[in-house]
Amino acid sequence: MSTTVIIILVVVVLLLLWGVSIYNNLVRLRNNRENAFANIDVQLKQRHDLIPQLVAKVKGYATHEKEVLMRVTEARSAAMGATSINDKIQAENALSSALSGLKISLEAYPDLKANQNFLQLQGEISDIENKLAATRRFFNSTTRELNNAVQTFPSNIFAGMFGFGKEPMFEIPQEERAVMDKAPEIKF
């Protein structure tokens, strides 16, 4: 064989190895994203197990809060019934919104805070919400890494060939964003 053929074969092999490396990296990033969402599922499972306890305690002390509690219960049911990542993101955002409403309603009734069991459950909810926020940040970080790889050259060529696409982040819905942009009102 001539040296030209050998050089061409070496270049082809190197290009093939380079392509395999890019593909493997895309698969690794996609798997990291899926693993990050599995971590969110673990936190959501804890959240879903704890919410019925919270609702039962609050019902015992605040019958006038039925509307808020129903929103939480309905949002929880919708969240548990969601199947795809995007549906879960939307349902969990609705549940977060409902839980925020519950927390605000409970803060308006200081006599509820006197109950030790309620305080314990409120602390557990706060802890789970903090863990959930951390896992969502990790999920968004892995999603960003995957999206960067899918959209940057030269891996974007391989991503398109093998069906990799830009994935959505776990974000606050647009309608809630306006509320979050306002400074909180503090009254004494």
Side-chain angles (χ1 to χ4, degrees), residues 67-81 91 94-95 98:
E67 181 181 329
V68 174
L69 296 175
M70 289 301 291
R71 247 184 73 212
V72 170
T73 303
E74 289 169 2
R76 176 184 172 266
S77 296
M80 290 182 73
L95 182 55

Side-chain angles (χ1 to χ4, degrees), residues 110-183:
D111 56 280
L112 293 178
K113 290 184 175 184
N115 183 289
Q116 195 61 25
N117 291 331
F118 179 77
L119 286 174
Q120 179 185 0
L121 289 171
Q122 189 177 23
E124 289 177 26
I125 284 284
S126 180
D127 182 52
I128 285 183
E129 290 298 317
N130 289 336
K131 289 177 183 175
L132 188 53
T135 56
R136 284 176 176 163
R137 283 190 300 273
F138 179 68
F139 172 79
N140 283 344
S141 174
T142 60
T143 300
R144 184 194 70 243
E145 287 178 26
L146 176 61
N147 288 343
N148 286 344
V150 164
Q151 294 177 316
T152 57
F153 183 79
S155 60
N156 62 344
I157 296 168
F158 291 94
M161 288 184 348
F162 294 110
F164 290 90
K166 184 177 184 221
E167 298 292 342
M169 298 282 197
F170 207 131
E171 300 180 302
I172 296 172
Q174 196 62 32
E175 57 273 2
E176 287 182 37
R177 191 174 300 266
V179 174
M180 300 297 257
D181 287 342
K182 291 182 182 176

Side-chain angles (χ1 to χ4, degrees), residues 25-147:
N25 184 51
L26 290 169
V27 169
R28 182 182 54 78
L29 291 170
R30 181 187 59 204
N31 290 342
N32 284 347
R33 181 179 188 267
E34 290 172 359
N35 180 58
F37 197 80
N39 291 338
I40 290 175
D41 271 344
V42 168
Q43 293 302 319
L44 296 177
K45 172 76 170 112
Q46 287 180 341
R47 178 200 238 187
H48 293 238
D49 290 345
L50 190 57
I51 287 173
Q53 295 174 22
L54 176 62
V55 170
K57 292 291 183 186
V58 172
K59 276 185 179 178
Y61 290 99
T63 56
H64 55 281
E65 294 294 321
K66 275 189 178 182
E67 181 181 329
V68 174
L69 296 175
M70 289 301 291
R71 247 184 73 212
V72 170
T73 303
E74 289 169 2
R76 176 184 172 266
S77 296
M80 290 182 73
T83 54
S84 72
I85 288 177
N86 292 340
D87 289 343
K88 284 184 179 186
I89 289 171
Q90 185 177 21
E92 290 303 328
N93 283 332
L95 182 55
S96 292
S97 176
L99 285 172
S100 295
L102 176 62
K103 189 174 181 179
I104 288 167
S105 294
L106 293 171
E107 288 173 356
Y109 298 96
D111 56 280
L112 293 178
K113 290 184 175 184
N115 183 289
Q116 195 61 25
N117 291 331
F118 179 77
L119 286 174
Q120 179 185 0
L121 289 171
Q122 189 177 23
E124 289 177 26
I125 284 284
S126 180
D127 182 52
I128 285 183
E129 290 298 317
N130 289 336
K131 289 177 183 175
L132 188 53
T135 56
R136 284 176 176 163
R137 283 190 300 273
F138 179 68
F139 172 79
N140 283 344
S141 174
T142 60
T143 300
R144 184 194 70 243
E145 287 178 26
L146 176 61
N147 288 343

